[in-house]
Amino acid sequence: RDIKGKIMTYLNGIAFNNANITNSTVLPTMPALQAISAAPINYNKFYSTMNTIANAKFDASAVSIVSTSTESNKKQSWLGNVWNKAKNGIKSAVRFVGNLGKDIVSVAKKYLGMNEKDGSYKLFTNGRTEAWCADFVTYVVKETCQQTGKSLPAGFGSASVSGLRDWGIRNNCYLETASASNKVDTIKNNIKAGDIIIFKEHGRSHTGIVHEILADGTIKTFEGNTSDKVGERSYSANDRTISGFVQVA
């Protein structure tokens, strides 16, 4: 398959749903595309990322840009940011919802202390007896979406850590950090309160909700099934068991 040719043909004639702007106002020219096509990038990731964005709903609230900007400029900034990530082979960092961080953290925090001893944790598992860290994350994010009237792409939610991570990968909102050369800067520059932390390295399988990123990259979380309860934890950005983050905040 001619991946490079398919990408260039696709991007040159693309129509961005819900964007109401022409590709010429957002995408590089064909000479620029041709120059990029000679660069050592991951074309499968590039194509996948741009294909997802082409069919994603634009959300102005997810754009970090001054409020006085026009809708067209916001869309151009948003799509331009995605273009830059895609051309560098980064299959990640697309925030479909935006501005949910404080709400997710608030919902998670109210459940601190719920535990296995009194059975209160079964609120998150729908009565099942099972490892429940992913159940907790799923319950919190879905409750937040219900309260705010916002929604995530279809299929969000899982009783397994792998299920949450795989949903993020499928929807291009999973940021893999395990192989990052500078984990501190990668996490400080990309992760927000409300994002989902994924631990799937060195035999660990766990997840939680980020509630704060400190100046040194330290990650503070609210987690279910930690010492058999909902509790608060703290991790170094260089913790070797962290795989990455699902960016839903």
Side-chain angles (χ1 to χ4, degrees):
R1 222 170 30 153
D2 181 6
I3 297 294
K4 295 180 184 179
K6 287 177 71 70
I7 289 170
M8 296 202 320
T9 299
Y10 174 77
L11 289 177
N12 194 45
I14 199 169
F16 285 93
N17 296 345
N18 302 308
N20 297 320
I21 49 178
T22 63
N23 59 317
S24 62
T25 65
V26 182
L27 297 174
T29 61
M30 279 303 290
L33 283 173
Q34 290 166 350
I36 290 169
S37 73
I41 64 175
N42 186 319
Y43 290 97
N44 285 300
K45 287 185 176 182
F46 178 72
Y47 182 84
S48 175
T49 301
M50 293 310 295
N51 185 64
T52 298
I53 295 308
N55 294 290
K57 182 179 180 181
F58 169 74
D59 183 355
S61 66
V63 182
S64 298
I65 193 168
V66 293
S67 59
T68 54
S69 296
T70 64
E71 287 298 294
S72 178
N73 284 342
K74 286 183 179 182
K75 290 166 184 172
Q76 183 168 342
S77 173
W78 182 66
L79 291 167
N81 179 54
V82 172
W83 164 266
N84 287 329
K85 290 179 181 297
K87 77 177 183 180
N88 288 305
I90 300 175
K91 187 182 175 71
S92 170
V94 179
R95 294 187 182 276
F96 288 101
V97 182
N99 294 333
L100 272 180
K102 290 182 179 179
D103 296 308
I104 292 174
V105 169
S106 178
V107 171
K109 186 176 182 179
K110 75 179 183 179
Y111 292 119
L112 284 171
M114 294 185 75
N115 61 83
E116 294 182 10
K117 186 175 181 180
D118 65 10
S120 55
Y121 81 100
K122 288 190 175 180
L123 171 69
F124 313 119
T125 68
N126 196 28
R128 300 184 301 272
T129 300
E130 61 189 17
W132 52 283
C133 60
D135 288 317
F136 171 72
V137 168
T138 296
Y139 190 94
V140 166
V141 174
K142 286 188 173 182
E143 180 180 331
T144 303
C145 287
Q146 184 177 26
Q147 289 181 357
T148 60
K150 294 187 176 182
S151 61
L152 291 168
F156 175 80
S158 176
S160 75
V161 177
S162 294
L164 291 176
R165 180 182 60 179
D166 291 347
W167 178 89
I169 292 171
R170 287 194 305 273
N171 288 281
N172 291 317
C173 59
Y174 177 71
L175 179 64
E176 189 269 337
T177 61
S179 61
S181 58
N182 188 329
K183 293 181 176 65
V184 172
D185 284 350
T186 298
I187 289 171
K188 284 174 59 178
N189 293 334
N190 293 281
I191 304 308
K192 294 170 55 177
D195 284 340
I196 300 168
I197 189 169
I198 300 291
F199 301 89
K200 287 293 286 185
E201 305 294 323
H202 301 281
R204 190 178 189 193
S205 183
H206 189 58
T207 186
I209 303 278
V210 175
H211 78 78
E212 187 177 7
I213 302 292
L214 303 185
D216 64 356
T218 295
I219 307 149
K220 301 185 76 172
T221 64
F222 293 137
E223 304 170 6
N225 200 19
T226 180
S227 298
D228 300 331
K229 64 182 181 181
V230 178
E232 182 178 8
R233 293 290 180 264
S234 181
Y235 303 92
S236 163
N238 291 307
D239 187 303
R240 73 191 193 110
T241 66
I242 299 173
S243 301
F245 301 80
V246 181
Q247 298 180 277
V248 297

